[in-house]
Amino acid sequence: MALRFPDGFLWGCATAAYQIEGAPEADGKGPSIWDRFVHTPGLMQDGATGDVACDHYHRFREDVALMKQLGMQAYRFSLSWSRILPEGAGRVNPGGLAFYSDLIDELLAHGIEPIITLYHWDLPAVLEDQGGWLNRASSQWFADYARIVFEAFDGRVKTWATINEPWVISHEGYLRGTLAPGHRNLFEVPLVSHNLMRAHGAAVQAYREVGHHAIGLVVNIEPKYPATPSEADAAAAHRASAYMNAQYLDAALLGHYPPELREIFGEAWPEHDPADFDLIRQPLDFIGVNYYTRAVTRRDDHDWLLQAGVVRQTQATYSETHWEVFAQGLTDTLEWVRERYGDIPLYITENGAAFFDPPKAEGGRIRDPLRTDYLQKHLLAVHAAITQGVDIRGYMVWSLLDNLEWSQGYSKRFGIVHVNFETLERTPKDSARYYAQAIARHGAILAEPL
Ligand code: PNW
């Protein structure tokens, strides 16, 4: 079976600063909320930290060479705000800018297009001390930071994303407490979400003043399917989707939150100043979609927030993060975005899976057939959406390297390249070879996995 993707379709991979860089104090970097989180006893699986991670900070040239070897056309990475502004605002640290400048040059020298995420969860610690995303001034802090990096890099970088996954930030960081800053307070969730969206809007505004290319928002989308045709299960799926999938895109593109949220949050739902939506709703050049899995949802009154429980699929494959492998959900997601928000260019900014990788076999090969199978199915799912007319511009696999899977530490390997966290040696897995072949053949997907 040979499938072709549109001309100009961008094939690449994605990472995030805190998950790979290490070097938390190098060249004048200030601390972020993740430096604090990992050094707070009891929060991290196996006591893991990002102090070294993949040591990408010192090995980025090797990593770019690896990308080149795999044929990557684009690389989505995030900037560490506190490398560039150690105090979050004010004084710019030339050492921080220099690192990213060198990385961008290295990518361009290898013909790889940089795609920058401004915020992938590592807020400068000093700003957290001023309330972090709960402070309405955070939109100004973010826009000021954004302007600095736009001015520094927009000549060389053509694609920018403001914030990675506002839902995960607010839900995991402020409700469940599994991500920094580790709060558990329902009342904070809509306030943080709102300030994240105000920050997004303020950064897009700044971009229109100083930038010349494309900027968008990255959201995670997990389609919700009702377990039965019953009214109760359909309503549960609907609530879950309003909360997780529609909340941020509705605000950014339609200028209001889904009406279901008022009922979901109850007394924790704040009155929003209508003028805020003029800031939040900015024309965007693209939407970045991160897709991993779906949820099959039934009404469950024990679930206090959404009255929605998740039904495990007995016939399905689950990855190491307990996420069902369900590629049709990616096609459905891309079609849902077009249906709800109209024709706007989309990138798949993350897609991938953690699987247990068997140790290296003879010849140094790492056989990860489940990951290869995951990639193949999801590339087919992307192609199916393209066939349906959805405007999809590129696909970034999560992730280039095994890395720090946030509070789960190094226990979950998402890389298509294996990292030995003792020696820091990189070894492309079979899935990397598979992906490299898919790229080399312009997306013609080989029927047989390697
Ligand atoms: C994304 N969910 O996080 C992040 O952007 C990455 O940094 C992370 O490593 C990757 O996915 C794998 O986890 C998510 O619960 C975390 O729906 C949670 C969800 C989705 C994405």
Side-chain angles (χ1 to χ4, degrees):
M1 177 176 14
L3 299 178
R4 283 188 79 87
F5 283 69
D7 289 338
F9 188 88
L10 215 49
W11 298 91
C13 56
T15 65
Y18 191 72
Q19 294 181 273
I20 63 165
E21 285 179 358
E25 294 179 344
D27 303 317
K29 178 181 174 296
S32 82
I33 56 174
W34 270 95
D35 293 304
R36 275 190 188 164
F37 190 90
V38 302
H39 288 288
T40 307
L43 297 182
M44 294 291 292
Q45 187 169 330
D46 309 317
T49 77
D51 288 354
V52 178
C54 305
D55 196 32
H56 173 75
Y57 190 82
H58 299 113
R59 296 166 194 251
F60 71 94
R61 291 185 203 279
E62 180 191 338
D63 291 338
V64 173
L66 203 51
M67 286 183 235
K68 180 72 195 171
Q69 187 193 314
L70 297 173
M72 299 291 172
Q73 300 165 351
Y75 174 48
R76 171 178 176 246
F77 60 99
S78 78
L79 307 183
S80 158
W81 183 342
S82 65
R83 280 196 196 284
I84 294 161
L85 291 153
E87 291 93 30
R91 182 179 65 92
V92 175
N93 172 34
L97 281 181
F99 169 67
Y100 293 112
S101 181
D102 290 349
L103 172 58
I104 292 164
D105 283 344
E106 190 74 8
L107 289 165
L108 294 175
H110 287 77
I112 300 170
E113 189 167 327
I115 298 178
I116 292 187
T117 307
L118 293 175
Y119 186 72
H120 202 126
W121 308 357
D122 45 355
L123 189 75
V126 192
L127 297 181
E128 183 64 23
D129 294 338
Q130 298 166 52
W133 294 112
L134 288 161
N135 187 332
R136 274 180 70 88
S138 53
S139 59
Q140 193 61 51
W141 304 333
F142 186 63
D144 291 346
Y145 152 62
R147 187 182 296 268
I148 288 162
V149 298
F150 295 152
E151 280 171 351
F153 302 137
D154 194 58
R156 288 174 283 166
V157 175
K158 298 198 186 77
T159 312
W160 297 87
T162 53
I163 290 173
N164 181 69
E165 299 182 342
W167 181 85
V168 176
I169 297 171
S170 68
H171 184 81
E172 300 293 334
Y174 292 83
L175 186 61
R176 298 213 321 129
T178 64
L179 298 178
H183 296 195
R184 295 173 188 222
N185 183 338
L186 182 67
F187 283 79
E188 292 181 354
V189 174
L191 299 176
V192 162
S193 293
H194 193 62
N195 285 332
L196 286 167
M197 295 315 293
R198 291 176 54 249
H200 157 80
V204 175
Q205 261 185 354
Y207 191 71
R208 299 306 174 204
E209 287 165 25
V210 299
H212 297 96
H213 310 286
I215 191 160
L217 173 69
V218 172
V219 293
N220 56 294
I221 293 185
E222 183 182 284
K224 310 290 183 182
Y225 302 84
T228 74
S230 77
E231 194 110 339
D233 289 353
H238 189 79
R239 276 192 301 277
S241 184
Y243 175 60
M244 190 171 184
N245 300 327
Q247 181 168 184
Y248 304 92
L249 289 180
D250 277 18
L253 298 169
L254 309 178
H256 57 77
Y257 292 109
E260 294 85 355
L261 293 190
R262 184 180 287 278
E263 190 202 326
I264 290 168
F265 280 98
E267 56 172 340
W269 187 249
E271 284 311 318
H272 291 299
D273 183 345
D276 287 350
F277 293 97
D278 300 337
L279 175 63
I280 293 172
R281 185 187 191 176
Q282 300 289 328
L284 298 183
D285 301 306
F286 69 90
I287 298 169
V289 171
N290 294 351
Y291 175 84
Y292 290 92
T293 190
R294 70 159 168 180
V296 176
T297 304
R298 69 180 157 80
R299 180 173 180 118
D300 178 358
D301 291 324
H302 298 293
D303 181 76
W304 61 272
L305 185 62
L306 302 167
Q307 289 83 50
V310 175
V311 182
R312 198 178 155 86
Q313 303 301 296
T314 47
Q315 309 291 2
T317 305
Y318 279 77
S319 69
E320 287 290 301
T321 50
H322 312 291
W323 291 346
E324 183 192 349
V325 175
F326 188 71
Q328 177 66 41
L330 178 51
T331 310
D332 293 350
T333 287
L334 295 164
E335 291 181 352
W336 175 83
V337 171
R338 188 196 34 188
E339 230 160 77
R340 192 171 177 97
Y341 304 106
D343 246 320
I344 173 166
L346 306 182
Y347 287 90
I348 291 97
T349 35
E350 290 179 24
N351 175 242
F355 286 109
F356 175 76
D357 295 322
K360 270 193 223 182
E362 345 69 68
R365 252 179 92 176
I366 294 176
R367 296 170 199 266
D368 60 340
L370 293 173
R371 187 175 289 98
T372 299
D373 183 61
Y374 183 100
L375 289 181
Q376 179 176 41
K377 288 191 164 92
H378 286 77
L379 292 175
L380 287 166
V382 173
H383 190 270
I386 292 172
T387 305
Q388 294 303 310
V390 185
D391 182 3
I392 305 166
R393 303 291 176 92
Y395 175 92
M396 311 290 134
V397 67
W398 184 271
S399 181
L400 175 68
L401 301 171
D402 290 335
N403 60 47
L404 182 92
E405 179 52 24
W406 304 109
S407 53
Q408 297 182 79
Y410 299 97
S411 69
K412 302 290 181 284
R413 293 178 176 270
F414 275 91
I416 58 171
V417 173
H418 179 271
V419 176
N420 176 326
F421 288 104
E422 257 128 57
T423 62
L424 295 171
E425 185 193 356
R426 278 87 160 129
T427 310
K429 304 174 191 178
D430 280 1
S431 58
R433 296 173 211 278
Y434 173 77
Y435 190 50
Q437 290 203 38
I439 298 173
R441 295 169 191 220
H442 307 291
I445 296 165
L446 313 171
E448 341 74 78
L450 295 180

